[in-house]
Amino acid sequence: MICNNSDIQNKIIDGRLIARNIESSISEKVIKLKQSGIVPAIAVILVGEDPASVVYVRNKERAAQRCGILSKKDIYPESLTEKELINKIEELNNDPLIHGILVQLPLPSHIGEKKITEAINPSKDVDGFHPLNVGKIFTENAPFYPCTPYGILKMLDYYDIPVKGKNCVIIGQSNIVGKPLAVMLMNRLAAVSSLNIFTKDVKSIASKADVLISATGKAHLIDDGYVKDGAVVIDVGIANIGGKICGDVNFDKVINKVSKITPVPGGVGPLTVAVLMENTVKSAMGRLQK
Ligand code: GUN
């Protein structure tokens, strides 16, 4: 079947629209918090000048401004030591005016991500990466769920796409996206397949998915051969090819087959940022109860 323009529009998951809805409900909560004397605040740490990280951090800062959340950006040179970074995190852990701490990943290779993640107080871990919070994904009582997987669930909910009993295939098993998302989909009783770089015949597994999520960062990996007719395709990938931002999915090749698809840009990215703001406000609201 060949799609016309309005068919295509109906298939596109509008991440920016959903994010705007979330941000407007956050803004209302922020106003109430401020009336109670609490200014929600997030500290964002960037080490080095990775160009993609610089853009992500800027997007987070802008979202915080839109929501009325205070954002404190700390940028350090690549030469910062692991110990120095841990000391900075300790200061933020002890600062009662900071409700969320985010260390942008990836970090330079001399700094251990695991150690840094564990240094953040779990009650300020708005990324949801601390092992205590990751463990609580299993028991469905995490204070903060990782932003990208949670954003993906919010997209599915917005469009009334149930996953119970559905074949969900996730390509990529990072700690940030693939692994937590697998558990979060299992919690919703989906049949989940987690694929990685060593998985044989990714194409044949992917092409049986009702919901296909690709998080590899390999531009245009996914073409029509990977997609079942009527599948929902969520593209978490982001790559810069000759100055043009593109995802894991070759949109033009799969659009005729999918029932819904996220664009890149304007799909998953805005949701990740909106959930981060939601987590920050949730942390600040916890302060209200103390
Ligand atoms: N790098 C890529 N995605 C993320 C994210 O969600 N949080 C952090 N801290 N770093 C990232």
Side-chain angles (χ1 to χ4, degrees), residues 56 60 102-106 127 129 147-148 176 272:
Y56 296 149
K60 289 167 186 175
L102 177 142
V103 178
Q104 187 64 32
L105 303 177
D127 252 332
F129 292 167
C147 303
T148 301
I176 295 180
T272 298

Side-chain angles (χ1 to χ4, degrees), residues 233-253:
V233 175
I234 309 286
D235 189 350
V236 187
I238 188 150
N240 187 331
I241 305 292
K244 190 170 178 277
I245 302 297
C246 53
D248 285 1
V249 179
N250 190 329
F251 186 94
D252 294 338
K253 287 215 167 135

Side-chain angles (χ1 to χ4, degrees), residues 257-272:
K257 291 188 105 177
V258 301
S259 60
K260 284 272 179 225
I261 185 167
T262 58
V264 175
V268 173
L271 263 294
T272 298

